[in-house]
Amino acid sequence: MSNRINVLNENGEEIEAEVLLYFSLDKTDKNYILYTFGEVDDNRMETIHASELIKTEDGYKLDMMPDDDWEAVKEVMREIIRNEQE
C-alpha cells in the first residue's frame, strides 16, 4: 500500500488523504487505518481519521467501526503518543 489513498467523502467525491498507520488488533481480529486530510483544528492539531480496513477483490475499502473497536483504536493512538514522548 502507498502512503496516499483516495477516500470518498459524504458527497461521493474522492479526496486524497495521507496514510499515517496501518495496523491490526488481535482483540478484534480486524485491520485499521489512520489517515489525515491535513485539516487543522482550533488548537492547531491535525485531525486524524480512523476506519476499519477491509480487503476486497478489487483492493481495499474503508468502513466505519463499532464503538467497541473505536475504544481499542483510541488506545493504540494513545500508546503511540506515549512512546513518542519518551
Side-chain angles (χ1 to χ4, degrees), residues 35-53:
Y35 56 98
T36 182
F37 297 114
E39 308 151 306
V40 178
D41 67 14
D42 294 337
N43 297 319
R44 292 186 271 150
M45 301 290 291
E46 192 165 5
T47 302
I48 297 173
H49 301 270
S51 295
E52 182 180 348
L53 184 64

Side-chain angles (χ1 to χ4, degrees), residues 2 41 47-49 51 55 61 75 83 86:
S2 72
D41 67 14
T47 302
I48 297 173
H49 301 270
S51 295
K55 181 137 178 68
K61 79 171 192 170
E75 185 54 39
N83 288 337
E86 293 178 353

